[in-house]
Amino acid sequence: MPPNSILTALDRQRGHLFPWIAVLYATGIAIYFGLRVEPNAQHWWGILALAVCCAAIFRFGAETLRLLLMAILVTLAGFSTAGLRAHQVADVTLGWRYYGSVEGRIVEIDRSASDAVRVTLDRVRLSSVPPARTPGRVRIALHGERVFVTPEPGQTVILTANLSPPGGAVEPGGYDFRRQAWFDGLGAVGYTRTPLLLLAEPERDGLTLALYRLRMRISAAVQAALPGRAGAFASAITTGDRAGLDRPTLDALRASNLAHLLAISGLHMGLLTGFVFGALRLTLAAIPGAALRLPSKKIAAVGALVAGVVYLALSGGNVATERAFVMVAMMFAAVLIDRRAITLRAVAMAALVVLALRPEALTGPGFQMSFAATIALVAVYGALRDRAWRGPKWAYWAGGVVLSSFVAGLATAPVAAAHFNQVPHYGLLANVVSVPLMGLVVMPAAVLAALLWPFGLSGLGLGLMKPAILWILGVAETVAGWPGALSFVISPPGTVLPLLTVGGLWIVLWQGRWRVLGGPVVVAAMMLWAAAVRPEALVSETGGLVGVMTDQGRALSKGKGDGFAAKSWLENDGDGATQAQAAERLAFRTEGRLRRFEVGGGTILHATGKVAAAEALAACGEAALVVVNIRAETPPGCDVYDARRLALIGALAIEAGEDGPKVVSARDRTGDRLWSRQPQ
């Protein structure tokens, strides 16, 4: 592109550059999380020096140079924010497997993927473990009978549990729970089969726990007033408590692309605050003289903001809800200062606030899907803002619902498919016939129930919610049961989502004809995704599970155990089979207690248990490598991956190399980061 064309293109961006600040800030965060080595003191001093130099040159440079320097400074700010946050949340991580007594205060109650009640404890004490080596927070799944105490927030309890450090990625380059646990402050996870014992009643001081107890009381009251699935759904969208929802209901909502209705995010926050804003404006307009003498629009905006704060507090204040509140707060703040409320500038400001508070949110599906949908909707409706509608009013509203669902679904579909490996084919239809009820019935009824709660009449509002909720659940079950309702897709390479993001943002944000350059970037990303290839063999972090790719899909070495790894592998393969079904596929030659399989012309032995491991080690001379799930001494000339080695390097991917099997570990992909370092 000639220099004059570049200057002309940049000149056309005047007034449209602010959203790029959020993009560059997010780029800096992404660079930090993409590193393979944790920056040390010298790196940080170098970054500071670069920032100072850019700031010094900025005041003397030409306009084009200033733009470049500003881009560098914003990117460095994002990078530094992520690094600061990673060090701020640093806490003790358990360095070994622990079995014994665990004492702590319950600060959170939820459910695990296996539907077991799960408690998160702080103020943790472990038997015979000094405080300096004790994690600050642990999470324990309760698999035993809870006959002695029903868990409540604030209780100090004691139990006997199995704890271990948070697990790493289930495969190289896969989802890294260890990083999430680092930012969640979890130093250990585990389970117990023994009952909880109560040491102390819940404390009455502390705003956080008081709000949590209030949430649980509201949740229990809602489910008492609306028994069954309707009450569980109502509780989930009002308090964030999903404990009452059973697995089939959740699966149906996911298969019909209605699971987003459970997450208290932008949809719910927008519907609730929008209803309060509209109701207050109508009320003020109905009062003689008030609309003329009072700034009714601004008063309504303040009332909606207050409603948003209350909803944020009562819903648990998770990351998705915080993000949604920031977005609506930006919108109503614009109303208060007489600016246009819904613009890409407001979305960019919301993204900057969210990322400044929680930079780790950038890598999660919640942030990506939320802002993908919001940016797409704002861009599309911004382009249609000046177009007059000449059809009937009902068609205008109906078309708006269909268009909104289509645009949001199209924008979030690649992100959802990349993270969850599922494509619900009838999601648009399910949303078109369900989302309007959320806005017209469910959320207004929830506000009504909250207003009537002090008078003991909340049942009126909850009763209005029930038919609409049952309709939504019925739609979910019906759509999920249709043939071909759900298909599975392979996980994309790590470059695909960044390329899709860059291409999509370029199309939306760039002004002028050069925005078409985003199209080829999007196409290139989709071509890379279509050409994705999965590893020939995978080994779990424990060494107890191996998966080998066959013509029928990945064959697993066992039908039970290491369930999370098995489920993740099959999902990433785009395979809808269960672990039991995958275990029936033929890929292993079983000889006694040994399993043999071939990768790249080399034989690999896999064994579980002491006796089988001894046989594998004895026969290691005839194999390229050996995988066992116990600690073992490596015979001379053998390449053995035992429990000790796997604990250090994580799960394995095995591919065909030039000289036989080529092994890549999870540690090779994550590198030396704060969350991947082994505790001493």
Side-chain angles (χ1 to χ4, degrees):
M1 186 186 297
N4 290 338
S5 298
I6 295 177
L7 293 175
T8 301
L10 288 175
D11 188 62
R12 293 199 61 178
Q13 310 313 307
R14 292 179 183 274
H16 302 277
L17 289 176
F18 185 79
W20 288 104
I21 295 178
V23 174
L24 293 168
Y25 191 78
T27 300
I29 294 172
I31 291 172
Y32 174 80
F33 285 117
L35 295 176
R36 295 291 178 265
V37 178
E38 189 68 31
N40 56 31
Q42 289 77 15
H43 295 133
W44 290 114
W45 280 113
I47 289 171
L48 178 61
L50 177 60
V52 170
C53 290
C54 290
I57 299 172
F58 183 83
R59 61 179 298 184
F60 302 108
E63 184 175 5
T64 304
L65 178 60
R66 286 187 177 186
L67 288 176
L68 177 61
L69 294 174
M70 178 63 73
I72 294 173
L73 285 170
V74 173
T75 304
L76 292 178
F79 185 95
S80 302
T81 300
L84 178 62
R85 169 74 173 165
H87 283 83
Q88 280 181 333
V89 300
D91 204 345
V92 176
T93 299
L94 192 66
W96 64 95
R97 291 186 178 273
Y98 169 88
Y99 176 76
S101 66
V102 181
E103 178 185 331
R105 182 182 63 168
I106 298 177
V107 293
E108 186 176 344
I109 304 170
D110 62 354
R111 285 189 176 271
S112 66
S114 61
D115 213 28
V117 174
R118 195 167 57 182
V119 295
T120 301
L121 308 178
D122 69 354
R123 302 181 183 177
V124 178
R125 294 182 182 179
L126 304 180
S127 177
S128 303
V129 178
R133 303 186 69 187
T134 301
R137 290 164 67 100
V138 302
R139 192 168 67 191
I140 302 172
L142 309 179
H143 293 295
E145 294 291 334
R146 300 182 300 279
V147 295
F148 296 109
V149 60
T150 299
E152 292 182 16
Q155 290 174 335
T156 299
V157 297
I158 188 169
L159 64 154
T160 301
N162 291 274
L163 297 179
S164 60
V170 295
E171 63 176 86
Y175 166 69
D176 191 354
F177 173 68
R178 187 172 292 161
R179 185 174 72 181
Q180 178 181 324
W182 178 268
F183 285 96
D184 289 343
L186 289 175
V189 295
Y191 66 93
T192 181
R193 300 191 185 279
T194 63
L196 290 175
L197 297 177
L198 181 64
L199 287 184
E201 292 291 342
E203 300 176 358
R204 298 304 168 189
D205 57 338
L207 178 60
T208 301
L209 283 176
L211 286 173
Y212 194 92
R213 286 193 293 270
L214 177 60
R215 285 179 57 217
M216 293 300 100
R217 285 199 296 269
I218 293 174
S219 175
V222 169
Q223 295 185 61
L226 295 178
R229 298 185 308 160
F233 188 98
S235 174
I237 64 172
T238 53
T239 68
D241 178 20
R242 301 189 189 184
L245 288 165
D246 55 31
R247 183 59 54 183
T249 300
L250 290 171
D251 291 340
L253 288 166
R254 292 191 181 104
S256 59
N257 199 28
L258 293 177
H260 68 94
L261 297 182
L262 292 175
I264 301 177
S265 54
L267 174 66
H268 303 73
M269 187 68 72
L271 290 175
L272 182 134
T273 55
F275 173 76
V276 172
F277 177 78
L280 287 175
R281 287 204 71 183
L282 287 174
T283 301
L284 291 173
I287 301 174
L292 298 176
R293 296 186 180 91
L294 299 175
S296 58
K297 187 176 182 180
K298 295 184 179 182
I299 293 174
V302 172
L305 271 175
V306 172
V309 172
V310 173
Y311 193 31
L312 174 66
L314 293 182
S315 63
N318 59 35
V319 177
T321 315
E322 286 181 357
R323 181 174 59 249
F325 174 74
V326 169
M327 294 177 72
V328 299
M330 292 295 114
M331 181 179 70
F332 289 119
V335 172
L336 293 175
I337 60 175
D338 298 316
R339 294 290 187 269
R340 181 178 289 173
I342 304 177
T343 64
L344 289 174
R345 182 185 294 268
V347 176
M349 180 65 73
L352 285 170
V353 173
V354 171
L355 291 176
L357 295 174
R358 296 181 183 269
E360 69 274 13
L362 177 69
T363 61
F367 178 92
Q368 295 170 10
M369 294 176 67
S370 177
F371 278 95
T374 305
I375 291 170
L377 288 169
V378 172
V380 169
Y381 279 99
L384 298 176
R385 182 181 296 119
D386 298 328
R387 297 177 181 269
W389 175 263
R390 294 182 175 84
K393 203 70 172 179
W394 67 266
Y396 175 83
W397 292 110
V401 171
V402 174
L403 180 61
S404 298
S405 296
F406 176 75
V407 170
L410 186 65
T412 58
V415 182
H419 284 283
F420 305 119
N421 305 101
Q422 296 183 350
V423 178
H425 296 289
Y426 307 119
L428 174 61
L429 176 60
N431 277 273
V432 167
V433 298
S434 299
V435 171
L437 286 177
M438 286 292 294
L440 297 175
V441 180
V442 176
M443 296 311 292
V447 175
L448 178 62
L451 293 175
L452 295 177
W453 197 285
F455 308 102
L457 300 174
S458 59
L460 295 176
L462 295 175
L464 291 174
M465 296 172 68
K466 185 175 181 178
I469 291 175
L470 291 178
W471 168 269
I472 293 171
L473 295 176
V475 169
E477 289 183 343
T478 301
V479 171
W482 287 348
L486 192 66
S487 63
F488 301 90
V489 295
I490 190 172
S491 285
T495 55
V496 167
L497 273 184
L499 282 176
L500 282 174
T501 302
V502 169
L505 288 174
W506 188 270
I507 293 171
V508 171
L509 299 182
W510 191 260
Q511 305 299 310
R513 61 181 180 175
W514 296 110
R515 69 170 50 186
V516 299
L517 295 178
V521 178
V522 172
V523 172
M526 299 306 293
M527 292 176 64
L528 285 175
W529 195 341
V533 178
R534 296 284 295 149
E536 290 189 44
L538 292 167
V539 178
S540 68
E541 189 177 32
T542 65
L545 181 69
V546 171
V548 180
M549 188 61 74
T550 70
D551 293 337
Q552 294 76 38
R554 192 170 302 279
L556 299 180
S557 59
K558 59 183 180 181
K560 292 183 179 180
D562 286 292
F564 181 71
K567 182 174 181 291
S568 299
W569 293 351
L570 293 172
E571 288 178 349
N572 292 340
D573 291 338
D575 190 342
T578 65
Q579 182 175 356
Q581 292 170 338
E584 296 176 356
R585 295 167 178 165
L586 301 178
F588 304 94
R589 301 195 312 273
T590 304
E591 300 176 3
R593 296 182 176 89
L594 297 183
R595 299 183 189 88
R596 296 173 181 265
F597 59 96
E598 308 287 330
V599 175
T603 299
I604 300 174
L605 300 180
H606 177 235
T608 56
K610 292 183 179 180
V611 176
E615 293 182 11
L617 294 172
C620 70
E622 58 189 80
L625 56 93
V626 176
V627 177
V628 295
N629 70 335
I630 65 167
R631 294 192 173 199
E633 295 296 329
T634 302
C638 293
D639 191 5
V640 178
Y641 290 87
D642 67 339
R644 181 189 296 108
R645 187 177 182 184
L646 289 171
L648 292 173
I649 64 175
L652 308 178
I654 307 176
E655 297 278 12
E658 295 182 359
D659 302 320
K662 177 184 176 182
V663 178
V664 177
S665 71
R667 184 64 183 270
D668 293 334
R669 295 291 182 87
T670 58
D672 179 25
R673 305 307 307 272
L674 291 174
W675 47 87
S676 65
R677 293 171 179 171
Q678 293 296 322
Q680 297 298 319

